[in-house]
Amino acid sequence: MLRYPLVTLAVAALGLPLSTAPAQAAPEMPAVAGWSTPAPAPTGCTTSMEWIYDGVNYYYGRGKVQCTTGRYRVKIQCRNQQTGVGYVIYGGTAVNAPGTATATCYVGNVAEKVYPVEDPLPTGVTTGCAPWIEWVHEGSNHYYGRGRVQCDTGRYQVKINCRNLQTGVAYVVYGGQVVTAPDTATTTCYSGNVAESVEALPQ
């Protein structure tokens, strides 16, 4: 007389276990704390400049930017027309599209160009570069072109394309110092020569 059922003997002969534990589900990946999808860069941006009078002698340039998507601030490139020196001013408050971001130059100075600035700023890249040219006078006969560039992010130096107007010869000058945003990188042409274009060189 058999002491075990035939099914039990067959399972044992095949080397199979008599019982199998239920399959376990793969463990779930833990959520990454603080992770979020980066906000898209602003698009569909329209810029404008105004010349504002406020009182008898109080006047200044104002820049505005409005975009169709994204979050942004405004940056304006200004110039003191008495000295010829340019500079950059950021609007302090970021707005969501389609809001209008606004900033003004110092009193008596004009706005020459307006830029939208992504908020928050991207990292690991050089972005939002504003180049400009100045004509510098020192003394009665010492004058030259100067190039400057200022960016929102990254590290960079300035490169200017210069020309000797007497000979017509063009040449390039690199700024020796690498700066970190939002600092301004500056270099000059040789005495008596003009700057024709300016660009930022990411480092």
Side-chain angles (χ1 to χ4, degrees):
M1 181 176 179
L2 295 175
R3 301 178 61 182
Y4 300 99
L6 293 177
V7 174
T8 303
L9 292 175
V11 170
L14 293 174
L16 299 175
L18 292 176
S19 62
T20 304
Q24 295 182 351
E28 295 183 359
M29 295 297 293
V32 179
W35 184 88
S36 61
T37 303
T43 60
C45 298
T46 302
T47 61
S48 61
M49 291 176 288
E50 301 173 345
W51 186 239
I52 306 301
Y53 291 89
D54 188 359
V56 179
N57 297 314
Y58 188 54
Y59 56 95
Y60 50 86
R62 180 165 64 191
K64 294 181 176 181
V65 63
Q66 182 184 36
C67 303
T68 56
T69 66
R71 181 173 174 81
Y72 46 90
R73 293 190 295 158
V74 64
K75 176 173 80 173
I76 53 175
Q77 176 200 322
C78 304
R79 188 180 300 271
N80 183 321
Q81 290 189 313
Q82 292 182 327
T83 64
V85 175
Y87 58 93
V88 164
I89 287 184
Y90 286 91
T93 303
V95 301
N96 295 314
T100 300
T102 304
T104 59
C105 301
Y106 301 140
V107 175
N109 297 178
V110 298
E112 293 188 330
K113 198 160 186 180
V114 183
Y115 301 87
V117 179
E118 184 178 350
D119 183 79
L121 291 170
T123 59
V125 291
T126 299
T127 62
C129 296
W132 69 91
I133 295 170
E134 299 173 353
W135 185 239
V136 180
H137 293 264
E138 289 185 1
S140 57
N141 297 315
H142 188 49
Y143 56 95
Y144 50 87
R146 179 164 62 195
R148 289 183 167 177
V149 66
Q150 183 274 340
C151 303
D152 297 332
T153 63
R155 286 176 54 79
Y156 46 92
Q157 65 178 163
V158 63
K159 170 188 171 184
I160 57 174
N161 296 301
C162 303
R163 186 176 298 275
N164 184 321
L165 292 179
Q166 293 181 326
T167 64
V169 174
Y171 58 94
V172 172
V173 176
Y174 294 89
Q177 183 178 6
V178 176
V179 302
T180 301
D183 290 347
T184 300
T186 305
T187 195
T188 59
C189 300
Y190 303 141
S191 180
N193 297 177
V194 297
E196 295 188 321
S197 63
V198 185
E199 60 184 289
L201 296 179
Q203 301 296 304

